[in-house]
Amino acid sequence: MKFVVEHISKNSGRLGYLIQNESGKRYKTPLLLQVTKGGSIPYLSRDVFDRVTKDEQVLQLSLATMDHMSEALTEFKADGVNELSTYIGYKDYLTFLTIRDPCEKTPSRWNDKDVVPLFTRRGKIAITASKYMDLVEIFKPDIYQGLNDADTSWDSAKKRVQKSVDRTEQFMNYCCERQQQSSVLKGASFFAPVVGGYSIHARSQSIKHINTKSQCNGYIFEGFHNYGLTACEVRCDQLIPIVEHCIKELDFEKPKMLPGAYTPLVMVELINLGVDMFDSSYAYCAAINFKALAFTYTKQQQDDESGAGTPFIDLTDECLREEFVPLVKDCFCLACQQHTKAYMHHLYKTKELLGPILLMIHNLHHMMGFFATIRSTLLMNGLNDLIHLIKYQHGNKEVDYCITANTKVIKKEDLGNGFAKTKS
């Protein structure tokens, strides 16, 4: 993989593209990686995903959801070099292997001196640096991240943060040495993990160690949250000073990624700083909590006073039962073209699997449209105006994009009279 910076905005942010080594295909940045579970887009078959977008995407594969496939992949042989993408049914797609599932909260306080806990469908597994690189060589992704201790968050103690940095350095030493010696990973790109919680000093220590490694092709920021909905709770004022400081110390010409379900406002603020890659876990977290993304991101939507004006539509809301209109006006996704809010609310109340399927279709379409707008806005040097629009939408008060877990439970006896609220 090769990364090229194509345009630097006069105000902030940058445009670029990733180039796949074998095919020469280009993927424009800022880029939204498509999160997968077990190698599949959540809730969507390949045929359905092809109706969401005709463009090839970069797939983010997490070891936490794919570790059980290692034995089968060892025996799998495909024509050409993209065995992993062929195996999961997305032949020739660019693949990025990460450690943790960004859609699910990772339990804390399970770290040990020489291992990293991996929480999989088979339970907790202890991964050493050697075992991790064995798995990477089996999967043979186009891009993969270095093993790291990222068990830190806003309230982590100084001692925990320092352990995170020290253990990650230890893992990095082994991963870089193995990368250099491996013939299997000769064409793979290595993203170095930048850790250190919310400590500028610890982050600088992590970067100083990374800068001694010539194997690094990019950077991935870890340790700001524990994934799942905890990423939605990260605020701009907490994150921006740390990321801004780190970017100044990192190589400008290498791509930078922040995994996790960050809110659209946080994403666009980080793009403003020079971050290039995110993932679609926010769209997934919204879908499984019955929320349809509806925030405004274009001037046309802003000028339309009938627009939603809210970050998302809560499909559990009883007032939608007679709303026979699309989720978002003028949205061209399959869900909005064929179905209404009332029908989507009905699917929720009857617990039909079609509900989250249609929500994933809409939410992914909405997020991909959002990123397309970001790229066009950067080209016109207008990102600051987009940030203001995302931040305030149709009013003067800052919009809250944080997703809360759905705690409403439907019982059979409630189907005709609304539903009961209970604590999860």
Side-chain angles (χ1 to χ4, degrees):
M1 181 212 75
K2 182 180 179 182
F3 177 68
V4 176
V5 177
E6 186 177 30
H7 173 80
I8 303 173
S9 173
K10 291 181 179 178
N11 299 316
S12 52
R14 62 186 188 173
L15 291 168
Y17 48 85
L18 298 174
I19 305 176
Q20 193 172 19
N21 291 334
E22 295 79 16
S23 65
K25 294 177 182 176
R26 298 186 176 191
Y27 303 86
K28 295 179 180 179
T29 63
L31 177 67
L32 183 72
L33 280 70
Q34 297 300 319
V35 163
T36 65
K37 283 180 173 286
S40 300
I41 308 294
Y43 292 108
L44 306 185
S45 66
R46 172 63 194 273
D47 290 340
V48 172
F49 184 66
D50 285 344
R51 299 188 68 179
V52 177
T53 176
K54 297 296 183 182
D55 301 327
E56 283 193 9
Q57 305 290 317
V58 179
L59 303 180
Q60 180 177 338
L61 311 171
S62 60
L63 193 60
T65 66
M66 294 190 66
D67 74 299
H68 60 286
M69 298 182 180
S70 58
E71 294 181 4
L73 269 168
T74 302
E75 303 297 328
F76 180 74
K77 302 296 179 184
D79 296 331
V81 293
N82 295 305
E83 292 183 2
L84 178 57
S85 59
T86 302
Y87 179 77
I88 61 177
Y90 289 87
K91 185 177 181 181
D92 297 329
Y93 273 52
L94 195 69
T95 54
F96 191 137
L97 183 66
T98 60
I99 301 168
R100 303 162 188 89
D101 180 2
C103 300
E104 309 294 338
K105 184 177 179 179
T106 302
S108 188
R109 300 178 183 178
W110 287 93
N111 295 276
D112 205 348
K113 184 178 180 181
D114 300 317
V115 300
V116 170
L118 187 68
F119 296 91
T120 73
R121 60 192 295 181
R122 298 182 292 177
K124 182 175 74 71
I125 301 173
I127 299 290
T128 62
S130 175
K131 175 62 175 176
Y132 175 68
M133 292 304 294
D134 288 343
L135 290 170
V136 172
E137 288 188 337
I138 291 173
F139 283 98
K140 291 181 282 189
D142 295 295
I143 310 169
Y144 72 99
Q145 72 168 123
L147 189 65
N148 60 84
D149 177 351
D151 187 13
T152 54
S153 57
W154 175 252
D155 56 357
S156 294
K158 184 177 180 180
K159 184 177 180 181
R160 171 84 280 273
V161 170
Q162 189 58 50
K163 283 185 177 180
S164 167
V165 174
D166 293 341
R167 289 173 181 171
T168 299
E169 288 182 2
Q170 176 185 339
F171 297 140
M172 272 279 291
N173 289 336
Y174 182 87
C175 290
C176 288
E177 181 180 353
R178 186 79 171 266
Q179 162 81 9
Q180 192 171 19
Q181 297 173 352
S182 175
S183 59
V184 175
L185 300 176
K186 187 176 181 180
S189 295
F190 176 77
F191 271 46
V194 181
V195 298
Y198 288 83
S199 167
I200 287 180
H201 173 75
R203 292 276 172 180
S204 292
Q205 181 183 339
S206 178
I207 292 171
K208 185 177 180 180
H209 181 261
I210 290 171
N211 289 339
T212 65
K213 305 298 181 183
S214 60
Q215 294 85 356
C216 172
N217 303 109
Y219 311 101
I220 180 167
F221 288 83
E222 294 273 18
F224 288 121
H225 51 78
N226 294 113
Y227 290 102
L229 293 181
T230 64
C232 297
E233 301 168 1
V234 177
R235 303 195 312 268
C236 289
D237 61 326
Q238 296 173 326
L239 196 58
I240 288 176
I242 309 296
V243 176
E244 186 175 22
H245 172 83
C246 291
I247 286 179
K248 291 177 181 177
E249 297 187 349
L250 295 170
D251 189 338
F252 174 82
E253 296 184 353
K254 294 179 180 179
K256 302 163 185 71
M257 178 185 178
L258 267 81
Y262 292 104
T263 65
L265 177 58
V266 171
M267 288 182 183
V268 75
E269 289 277 17
L270 292 175
I271 288 170
N272 189 35
L273 298 179
V275 178
D276 305 290
M277 301 163 66
F278 298 87
D279 63 49
S280 61
S281 52
Y282 183 81
Y284 171 84
C285 288
I288 62 170
N289 289 291
F290 301 98
K291 292 177 174 59
L293 299 182
F295 61 89
T296 298
Y297 56 79
T298 66
K299 191 173 189 306
Q300 181 180 359
Q301 293 170 329
Q302 185 183 23
D303 293 340
D304 183 3
E305 294 182 358
S306 65
T310 57
F312 35 69
I313 300 166
D314 186 351
L315 294 179
T316 69
D317 195 335
E318 187 71 10
C319 71
L320 299 180
R321 63 190 305 172
E322 295 186 7
E323 289 278 335
F324 299 104
V325 294
L327 294 172
V328 176
K329 184 180 179 181
D330 297 327
C331 176
F332 295 101
C333 77
L334 178 63
C336 289
Q337 290 295 302
Q338 300 292 331
H339 306 290
T340 65
K341 293 179 183 178
Y343 181 64
M344 298 289 285
H345 175 68
H346 161 75
L347 293 177
Y348 163 71
K349 294 193 70 173
T350 55
K351 299 183 180 181
E352 289 286 349
L353 181 58
L354 182 59
I357 292 174
L358 292 177
L359 269 178
M360 276 299 294
I361 290 173
H362 170 77
N363 287 352
L364 286 179
H365 179 272
H366 200 81
M367 288 299 293
M368 285 188 274
F370 175 46
F371 268 72
T373 298
I374 290 173
R375 290 190 289 269
S376 61
T377 302
L378 279 170
L379 189 60
M380 301 299 292
N381 301 312
L383 191 62
N384 289 335
D385 292 336
L386 179 60
I387 291 174
H388 186 273
L389 173 60
I390 297 299
K391 190 171 185 178
Y392 296 107
Q393 293 290 279
H394 301 281
N396 298 318
K397 185 178 179 182
E398 184 172 334
V399 175
D400 182 9
Y401 289 88
C402 185
I403 297 171
T404 55
N406 175 54
T407 57
K408 297 177 181 178
V409 176
I410 300 175
K411 299 178 181 178
K412 289 183 178 180
E413 57 267 27
D414 298 320
L415 289 179
N417 302 305
F419 44 80
K421 294 183 180 180
T422 63
K423 291 185 178 180
S424 59

